[in-house]
Amino acid sequence: MKILIIGTGYVGTTTGLIFCEMGHKVTGLDLDEQKIQALRAGNLYFYEPGLEELLTKHLQTNQLAFTNDTETAIKDNDLIFICVGTPQAPDGSADLTYVKKVAKSIGQHLNQYKVIVTKSTVPVGTAKLVTSVIQENQTFPIPFDVVSNPEFLREGSALEDALHPDRIVIGTTSETARTIMRELYKDFHCPIVETHPKASEMIKYAANSFLALKISYINELARVCDKLSINVNDISNGIGLDHRINPHFLKAGMGYGGSCFPKDVNSLIQTAKELGNPLSILEAVVKVNAEQPVYFIEKMKQSLGSDLKNKTIAVLGLSFKANTDDTRESPSLILIDKLLEEQATIKTHDPIVKMGVPHQFLTIEETVAGADALVICTDWDDYKNLNWQSLKTLMKQPYIFDGRNMLDKEKVEKLGFYYFGMANH
Ligand code: UGA
């Protein structure tokens, strides 16, 4: 099949590369000239393990091309995936400006029957909206179908998730489109959920919100465990072994961040509110998540003293999770902002992200040198096996606050550190 991917962010690029792997011919369209230039040259402009190799491979086989020529790209392809961003609007809802713009172009340039697929996370009713916008912009009616086919890949393991999904969701009422989508995914060995576009759109929000709910649940429970000196990791393990609960997304920490959970939970809350059916459970999820960095700072104050002014804090990890350079809604940046409000002096380190407050490019040793405490905010593997003995000699005070419960508490305590995790007793 000839597939057009509109929007070459991490979802669009990964999706396109997966389809190349399945033997299809893929064109990536983006209006951002810089992104197109980079991708054409085989340079992934964001950090995502394994993708650059596939990019190089498929550019060489000529199965993959990038363009900013919207008209030709739409006319030349059979299957069009909309993978553009749906940022959060000020009221918490999803901003569909880019999706509507793409739909308008498709309407203007549609030259024969095509299937248009929404891959971006979009609110319930968007497939219908895209259909109307395309129809409104057609000069003469050419049939087409709009399918909802949400993406469930995670940043940092995008390739693995896209190649081996737990399920594929196809939302359409058209038999023709359903047949084409079945053919597209015929080599994937996972259940395929075929449903109405509205249900498909809801599945994506419901999945992300449920995962966020699990995280807030364990984080709030961690606070109670802290009071009772219980190790919350034992609780995650003890409940996670019940297959009805499962062990995933039960890691207590600094709270969830990223470009998806915060935005998607808010969007579903907003949808529910507009319908007069508030989702109070999700409102609590957001509240707990916002409180988590504040709770952690309170923990720091209990040992460092209530006045953090003039204290030097080394922050390890800036990205919202490991294996990505994405700092959107990163709990680390939220914590840094709050520490700055307390007039603490901040030094930052990240293995990939090169930014900080102020812009610093410090080695790990330079970051912790003279620090009153270090805080681990991102669970980068690099931080697991640091030479703690030698780092301790550089610090002013040997305090470790492990916001990801990733260090061996006993090991670092033996070295003379004061260790505090998230209910990691
Ligand atoms: C999430 C979903 O997991 C994907 O299925 C979905 O496709 C994607 O959003 C999306 O909508 O595009 P992602 O945001 O890349 O993926 O990252 P996750 O691995 O889900 O982590 C989200 C946040 O939760 C991170 O800040 C992570 O550190 C935190 N988290 C995760 C925890 O605090 N505890 C956990 O146990 C798991």
Side-chain angles (χ1 to χ4, degrees):
M1 289 187 214
K2 286 178 77 182
I3 300 173
L4 173 64
I5 304 282
I6 306 185
T8 57
Y10 84 93
V11 169
T13 306
T14 312
T15 306
L17 289 168
I18 294 305
F19 290 142
C20 286
E21 284 286 281
M22 299 292 152
H24 302 290
K25 210 161 166 70
V26 174
T27 303
L29 170 72
D30 206 297
L31 295 182
D32 187 329
E33 180 64 26
Q34 271 186 331
K35 284 185 188 174
I36 291 298
Q37 296 286 7
L39 292 167
R40 268 187 192 145
N43 298 325
L44 200 64
Y45 62 88
F46 54 94
Y47 179 81
E48 182 62 48
L51 276 198
E52 201 158 81
E53 290 80 350
L54 279 194
L55 179 65
T56 313
K57 174 179 161 189
H58 291 296
L59 283 170
Q60 276 166 2
T61 56
N62 281 329
Q63 246 175 289
L64 179 65
F66 292 97
T67 181
N68 54 11
D69 178 352
T70 306
E71 181 173 349
T72 312
I74 291 171
K75 287 187 169 158
D76 276 2
N77 288 282
D78 316 312
L79 201 50
I80 302 176
F81 279 80
I82 303 179
C83 300
V84 295
T86 51
Q88 185 170 306
D91 66 355
S93 64
D95 178 350
L96 293 178
T97 309
Y98 301 119
V99 173
K100 285 192 233 167
K101 240 176 149 171
V102 168
K104 185 175 172 188
S105 303
I106 295 172
Q108 286 166 338
H109 304 304
L110 201 70
N111 53 344
Q112 59 187 46
Y113 173 83
K114 292 177 205 291
V115 173
I116 292 102
V117 185
T118 53
K119 196 80 166 132
S120 310
T121 304
V122 287
V124 175
T126 304
K128 197 170 164 207
L129 175 79
V130 169
T131 305
S132 316
V133 176
I134 294 175
Q135 278 166 348
E136 281 160 22
N137 285 280
Q138 287 184 308
T139 34
F140 51 92
I142 293 169
F144 66 92
D145 284 308
V146 176
V147 175
S148 162
N149 172 220
E151 183 50 64
F152 299 100
L153 58 82
R154 291 163 296 171
E155 290 185 34
S157 53
L159 197 55
E160 178 61 22
D161 289 353
L163 278 170
H164 307 289
D166 287 342
R167 78 307 207 179
I168 288 162
V169 178
I170 297 173
T172 180
T173 49
S174 151
E175 202 46 56
T176 314
R178 192 172 300 127
T179 307
I180 291 171
M181 295 302 284
R182 278 183 195 157
E183 174 63 20
L184 178 71
Y185 286 115
K186 69 179 183 337
D187 293 328
F188 286 77
H189 306 289
C190 67
I192 293 192
V193 179
E194 294 182 348
T195 183
H196 193 280
K198 283 197 287 186
S200 169
E201 290 160 345
M202 180 57 105
I203 286 169
K204 172 66 195 235
Y205 281 102
N208 273 4
S209 298
F210 186 74
L211 294 171
L213 182 147
K214 282 186 89 173
I215 299 169
S216 277
Y217 175 65
I218 202 70
N219 280 338
E220 198 169 33
L221 211 57
R223 299 183 207 162
V224 179
C225 287
D226 247 347
K227 298 269 174 333
L228 296 167
S229 297
I230 292 172
N231 188 334
V232 73
N233 302 322
D234 291 345
I235 308 305
S236 300
N237 186 31
I239 63 173
L241 287 169
D242 183 330
H243 72 274
R244 294 169 303 174
I245 297 175
N246 92 39
H248 306 291
F249 285 72
L250 286 177
K251 252 180 93 184
M254 298 273 293
Y256 61 79
S259 64
C260 305
F261 285 179
K263 168 174 82 75
D264 295 350
V265 175
N266 281 333
S267 174
L268 186 52
I269 288 175
Q270 188 59 24
T271 301
K273 236 188 232 160
E274 282 164 16
L275 293 167
N277 274 78
L279 276 165
S280 50
I281 200 160
L282 291 186
E283 288 168 14
V285 166
V286 172
K287 181 171 172 284
V288 169
N289 199 54
E291 287 164 357
Q292 205 62 3
V294 181
Y295 174 76
F296 209 58
I297 290 178
E298 285 312 313
K299 262 180 97 99
M300 292 171 69
K301 284 182 175 174
Q302 279 165 20
S303 354
L304 295 175
S306 58
D307 189 5
L308 295 180
K309 197 174 167 187
N310 302 325
K311 293 266 190 276
T312 300
I313 314 286
V315 175
L316 270 51
L318 295 170
S319 55
F320 80 96
K321 64 172 191 175
N323 299 323
T324 178
D325 58 356
D326 198 340
T327 58
R328 284 176 285 179
E329 303 285 329
S330 172
S332 172
L333 301 192
I334 295 166
L335 182 102
I336 289 171
D337 274 349
K338 294 195 186 299
L339 287 173
L340 287 173
E341 277 168 26
E342 302 268 346
Q343 296 184 302
T345 302
I346 307 294
K347 293 164 91 184
T348 64
H349 178 272
D350 190 280
I352 297 289
V353 181
K354 292 295 169 230
M355 61 178 280
V357 188
H359 291 271
Q360 294 162 331
F361 304 94
L362 305 178
T363 62
I364 198 91
E365 288 78 12
E366 288 166 341
T367 312
V368 306
D372 292 284
L374 70 80
V375 190
I376 300 181
C377 289
T378 313
D379 49 350
W380 284 103
D381 264 350
D382 306 42
Y383 297 148
K384 252 185 214 147
N385 300 312
L386 292 171
N387 185 343
W388 290 107
Q389 198 149 19
S390 105
L391 289 182
K392 182 169 167 272
T393 63
L394 301 172
M395 293 177 69
K396 194 161 145 200
Q397 299 192 91
Y399 281 94
I400 296 179
F401 294 92
D402 182 359
R404 295 291 183 169
N405 285 354
M406 65 179 290
L407 297 188
D408 184 334
K409 173 179 151 77
E410 264 178 43
K411 191 175 142 192
V412 289
E413 279 182 344
K414 258 190 203 141
L415 294 172
F417 279 101
Y418 301 112
Y419 173 92
F420 302 90
M422 195 65 83
N424 191 4
H425 296 283

